Amino acid sequence: MILLLGGARSGKSDTAVRLAASAGAPVTFIATAEAGDAEMAERIERHRAQRPTEWTTVEAPLDLHSAVGSAPPADYMVIDCLTLWVSNLLGHGRSGRDVLAEARRVADLLWERPAVVVSNEVGFGIVPANELARLFGDTLGSANAIFASAASRTLLMVAGRAFALPSIDDALAVE
């Protein structure tokens, strides 16, 4: 599994689509967005239009575990994105602890599968002033760390460029 992290409009989704298209396998695309307003519906449609029509798309705004578990084992999977999935779960009353337990379950399913997972890195800014925003940032950051620990590679996307992030073991290794 590859984890793609980055800010808004950093090229995460485009890179995920490129990785999947070059995988040489059928693709299951798991979308977590919900069209809560007209702008989001338009955004979802733009993303759909960028994907090859032969890919299978699964809408999974809440039950990511079932979506991943039901994808054919030979398929390359794209999950776009953890950010919206975490937001959806918190918005439906799930606790941060519950979200992280679910993140671990999904990451465990993906550990040895060919997949790319997209998520935003939201920890570069200031600590938010309200409780819900802090809960979201803390939960997403911890979920990203769970997926990074299960990933074979983690890339940070900035302005359409990918930077490889070493594991903590690699970063601390003494030569």
Side-chain angles (χ1 to χ4, degrees), residues 78-103:
V78 177
I79 298 172
D80 195 359
C81 73
L82 293 182
T83 312
L84 292 172
W85 177 66
V86 167
S87 178
N88 293 341
L89 289 173
L90 292 173
H92 281 85
R94 299 283 299 272
S95 71
R97 183 183 311 256
D98 288 345
V99 173
L100 296 178
E102 191 65 12

Side-chain angles (χ1 to χ4, degrees), residues 78-166:
V78 177
I79 298 172
D80 195 359
C81 73
L82 293 182
T83 312
L84 292 172
W85 177 66
V86 167
S87 178
N88 293 341
L89 289 173
L90 292 173
H92 281 85
R94 299 283 299 272
S95 71
R97 183 183 311 256
D98 288 345
V99 173
L100 296 178
E102 191 65 12
R104 172 55 59 204
R105 289 180 64 224
V106 175
D108 287 348
L109 276 180
L110 289 169
W111 186 63
E112 291 188 355
R113 285 205 62 163
V116 60
V117 178
V118 174
S119 189
N120 285 61
E121 174 50 64
V122 297
F124 289 141
I126 61 171
V127 175
N130 73 69
E131 183 179 359
L132 179 58
R134 287 190 302 273
L135 174 63
F136 170 74
D138 291 347
T139 304
L140 180 61
S142 295
N144 286 345
I146 288 167
F147 278 83
S149 71
S152 60
R153 290 189 316 168
T154 300
L155 304 174
L156 177 65
M157 300 296 302
V158 178
R161 303 288 187 208
F163 297 90
L165 301 178

Side-chain angles (χ1 to χ4, degrees), residues 22-85:
S22 68
V27 175
T28 295
F29 190 99
I30 301 175
T32 63
E34 291 183 299
D37 57 44
E39 187 275 334
M40 190 59 158
E42 183 180 311
R43 190 178 286 248
I44 290 168
E45 283 306 314
R46 277 196 313 269
H47 276 268
R48 280 186 186 138
Q50 293 171 340
R51 295 193 293 267
T53 56
E54 65 271 12
W55 289 8
T56 300
T57 297
V58 177
E59 304 287 337
L62 299 172
D63 192 0
L64 191 52
H65 187 269
S66 291
V68 169
S70 65
D75 279 17
Y76 190 94
M77 290 194 328
V78 177
I79 298 172
D80 195 359
C81 73
L82 293 182
T83 312
L84 292 172
W85 177 66

